[in-house]
Amino acid sequence: MPTASLRTLALPLMLLVAVPPGTLAAAADAADAAGAAVATSPPAIRVNQLGFLPGSAKLALVESVDGGRFEVLRDGDGSVARAGRLSPAAEWAPAGRRASVADLGALAAGRYRLRVDGVEAPEPFAVGPDAYAALSDAALKGFYFNRAGTALAPEHAGPYARAAGHPDTEVEIHPSAASPGRPAGSTISAPGGWYDAGDYNKYVVNSGITMHTLLAAWEDFPDFFRGRNIGIPESGNAVPDLLDEAWWNLRWILAMQDPADGGVYHKLTNLRFDGAVMPDAARERRYVVQKGTAATLDFAAVMAQAARVYAGFEPQFPGVAARMREAAEHAWRWAQAHPDAVYRQPDDVVTGAYGDQAFDDEFAWAAAELFVLTGDAGYLRAFDRHARDPDVPSWASVGALGWGALARHRERLPDDATRARVEAAIDALAARLASQARDSAWRIAMQPEDFVWGSSAQALNQALMLVQGYRLSGERTYLDAAQSQLDYVLGRNPLGVSFVTGHGARTPMRIHHCPSQADGIDAPVPGLLSGGPNPRQQDREECAPAGGYPSTLPALSWIDHDCSYASNEIAINWNAPLVYVAAAIQALTPAE
């Protein structure tokens, strides 16, 4: 969960123009710091810093130029591979800037550099057949680096090796979670799982959408993930690394269910956040806190989905699929009996709340997953009672996940009319997002209101739903719009930043992430997605000594400093769509 400030280091922010490749500043130039639109020379050229697949759509954005020509130069000899005209400039409200679009068109594999008005972009970009494979691998390995309850060995973690912390084998029942069989002060064992974000706590609700997204990536793109070796301890054990890594968290989630009644605890946590120390130095007492409807339904949905997936690996996980199905059905029954158990933060607990007040979306998602698993028509009727039109998913709005599950397994649906309804619902969302991207000066679907806590993940979840639409319809504009969302995250944004640590010419260096802050290594843990611009700036007071935010405009409200939990933290539910979208674009883009 995005946390309160762990520490503030009062270092001044450098201007982006002064930052060498591989490092990052919070502002592109002095005008940004004033929150003004940039209209300077030379032009700012924004491009996906990881590059493109040969068959992908390839767009660049050029600020402070109104139309004119561009050239794509071969990086080796400077010869012109392609030339074209920029689109007329248009203003993008979230950044308060005017920009023109360069459609780079068809390019063969190689390295290129963009030139506009005689000015070359500072870094080349690549075109190649595996443009995003390593990105998806690194984003998935980001979960390994956030494993709780285990040491990370040098042969798997390299310089980020660390001692084990938080065994969670003696976790206390908080008074809010007490039951006849588990009174307050008694203990349970709930080891494993992933640290949720920059902090060291574990939350079932946020694990819900995270697990779904990762398991959906397997269901949608098994050929991509089968046989990939990301360098975790389980690699090479006849189970795809994605599923081995997912199991590390699933086994913890299973332990969060009370076997006596089927209810699920909301979180496993300290009473307060740890400081910026390594896991083995964080030794506060740990608790499971309050059962709730949201956590229980998220659990039911995830376990139903996982039961389907792991049934295909029965020899490696004997009895696990059956156990997860039973747990899912038990949780569903508890939620039916407790349909409005809102999580309310106890007075003595100040860690992330992940509070939610409405549960129709959780009921719809869980019902859909259970229907696909069991074929029981009662679950489909429950979905119909609770479902609303799908929207871009987030941890608090999971209704679209149910629609996606039904679409993914539409052969299980009872008739053509139901299948058509499911397909039409997802297509309507994809069409809306593609239209927003087409009409945007920056060619992305993000609207000013989408720049929230975790806006990078909002962009990727929009891409995920565009991919869902493309998989159903084959409408190429959906795939191209999804590509454009990924481009934004990887550097084609007004800050000129790739928001993924270690992947791009300019990447976050001081993320709000306890291990990265405390390990003494200059570079942060790689493969983690920074939350991205957030104009609410909930940490502005903590970040004032570091120079503050460069702007109040939505797309510019980001700071590369570990003081910034509101814009530069990481979280598992943000990394999951990065895994999915990178794999999807890699797997779905036509070769030419």
Side-chain angles (χ1 to χ4, degrees):
M1 179 70 178
T3 63
S5 178
L6 299 181
R7 69 176 180 180
T8 298
L9 300 180
L11 296 180
L13 292 174
M14 296 184 294
L15 300 180
L16 186 59
V17 295
V19 179
T23 64
L24 184 62
D29 49 39
D32 289 351
V38 173
T40 60
S41 182
I45 301 171
R46 311 301 191 191
V47 67
N48 181 325
Q49 295 172 14
L50 265 64
F52 303 96
L53 294 157
S56 69
K58 305 174 187 69
L59 301 181
L61 268 292
V62 182
E63 298 179 32
S64 72
V65 172
D66 192 353
R69 294 184 60 79
F70 68 88
E71 296 170 304
V72 180
L73 310 179
R74 295 180 180 89
D75 192 45
D77 60 12
S79 61
V80 177
R82 179 179 173 81
R85 294 201 65 83
L86 297 168
S87 72
E91 181 164 323
W92 192 44
R97 297 183 182 175
R98 293 177 62 79
S100 299
V101 178
D103 186 342
L104 308 183
L107 293 170
R111 290 175 66 80
Y112 301 90
R113 195 179 293 267
L114 194 60
R115 183 165 65 192
V116 179
D117 280 357
V119 176
E120 294 184 11
E123 301 91 19
F125 64 89
V127 175
D130 295 309
Y132 309 121
L135 174 64
S136 184
D137 290 348
L140 179 57
K141 190 161 183 177
F143 291 92
Y144 165 75
F145 287 117
N146 253 30
R147 283 188 184 187
T150 188
L152 305 187
E155 57 265 35
H156 305 298
Y160 303 98
R162 57 171 169 80
H166 303 96
D168 290 339
T169 52
E170 294 185 5
V171 179
E172 192 167 317
I173 302 292
H174 189 270
S176 66
S179 63
R182 291 180 166 183
S186 62
T187 61
I188 64 170
S189 179
W194 299 315
Y195 298 128
D196 178 74
D199 61 296
Y200 287 138
N201 303 304
K202 302 185 292 190
Y203 306 83
V204 170
V205 166
N206 207 40
S207 277
I209 188 172
T210 303
M211 296 310 307
H212 170 84
T213 304
L214 293 176
L215 294 175
W218 167 257
E219 290 192 280
D220 291 348
F221 311 109
D223 291 342
F224 175 83
F225 288 103
R226 191 178 286 113
R228 300 197 71 80
N229 183 331
I230 65 169
I232 58 177
E234 300 81 3
S235 293
N237 67 351
V239 175
D241 281 4
L242 185 151
L243 299 184
D244 274 325
E245 192 55 52
W247 174 243
W248 188 265
N249 203 52
L250 283 168
R251 72 185 185 113
W252 165 69
I253 299 175
L254 277 166
M256 292 294 284
Q257 184 177 48
D258 185 343
D261 62 13
V264 177
Y265 305 113
H266 192 79
K267 61 180 176 177
L268 191 161
T269 181
N270 304 350
L271 295 181
R272 62 193 59 81
F273 290 115
D274 293 301
V277 299
M278 295 302 286
D280 61 309
R283 301 187 181 95
E284 293 291 320
R285 187 69 178 160
R286 307 272 274 180
Y287 299 84
V288 290
V289 184
Q290 191 187 323
K291 298 169 188 172
T293 304
T296 302
L297 287 169
D298 284 353
F299 175 99
V302 164
M303 290 303 157
Q305 182 185 18
R308 296 195 310 269
V309 169
Y310 286 82
F313 296 88
E314 182 65 22
Q316 293 83 14
F317 297 93
V320 165
R323 178 187 172 196
M324 290 192 289
R325 172 172 173 158
E326 181 180 356
E329 293 176 323
H330 202 190
W332 176 262
R333 292 191 293 271
W334 188 94
Q336 293 290 97
H338 303 83
D340 54 2
V342 174
Y343 176 76
R344 302 192 186 284
Q345 186 92 302
D347 290 341
D348 61 338
V349 179
V350 296
T351 54
Y354 284 110
D356 197 354
Q357 304 291 317
F359 306 124
D360 271 332
D361 55 326
E362 286 87 0
F363 271 110
W365 175 31
E369 299 285 5
L370 281 160
F371 168 75
V372 173
L373 174 65
T374 67
D376 185 335
Y379 290 122
L380 190 57
R381 290 193 294 272
F383 174 82
D384 287 336
R385 287 196 301 274
H386 292 284
R388 305 293 182 266
D389 290 342
D391 205 343
V392 177
S394 66
W395 67 262
S397 180
V398 294
L401 309 187
W403 288 100
L406 296 180
R408 190 169 291 115
H409 299 279
R410 48 197 187 283
E411 76 283 353
R412 301 277 285 165
L413 295 172
D415 51 53
D416 289 343
T418 305
R419 282 186 282 275
R421 181 167 65 94
V422 169
E423 292 171 3
I426 290 179
D427 187 76
L429 174 56
R432 173 168 65 82
L433 293 170
S435 176
Q436 288 174 192
R438 183 180 61 249
D439 294 342
S440 161
W442 215 268
R443 298 297 193 269
I444 61 171
M446 296 283 282
Q447 304 297 301
E449 61 270 20
D450 292 321
F451 288 89
V452 294
W453 208 321
S455 63
S456 298
Q458 177 75 356
L460 290 171
N461 278 317
Q462 290 175 337
L464 187 151
M465 295 311 301
L466 285 159
V467 167
Q468 295 294 329
Y470 175 74
R471 293 182 69 247
L472 289 173
S473 69
E475 174 56 57
R476 180 60 193 259
T477 58
Y478 298 169
L479 181 63
D480 291 348
Q483 171 76 55
S484 196
Q485 301 288 120
L486 182 62
D487 293 344
Y488 162 84
V489 168
L490 295 177
R492 206 199 71 201
N493 55 65
L495 294 165
V497 173
S498 170
F499 290 113
V500 184
T501 57
H503 288 73
R506 292 175 297 278
T507 65
M509 291 295 289
R510 301 189 62 188
I511 56 174
H512 186 86
H513 176 236
C514 280
S516 294
Q517 292 171 248
D519 61 12
I521 302 170
D522 288 340
V525 169
L528 302 180
L529 181 70
S530 167
N534 174 13
R536 291 172 178 82
Q537 301 179 4
Q538 292 92 336
D539 51 21
R540 64 171 61 90
E541 291 185 6
E542 291 91 334
C543 289
Y549 281 80
S551 172
T552 58
L553 288 170
L556 304 180
S557 293
W558 182 83
I559 179 174
D560 185 30
H561 200 287
D562 49 46
C563 67
S564 187
Y565 53 86
S567 78
N568 205 31
E569 193 173 11
I570 60 91
I572 57 174
N573 63 311
W574 302 343
N575 248 57
L578 178 59
V579 173
Y580 183 102
V581 172
I585 300 296
Q586 181 69 49
L588 293 175
T589 302
E592 297 293 341

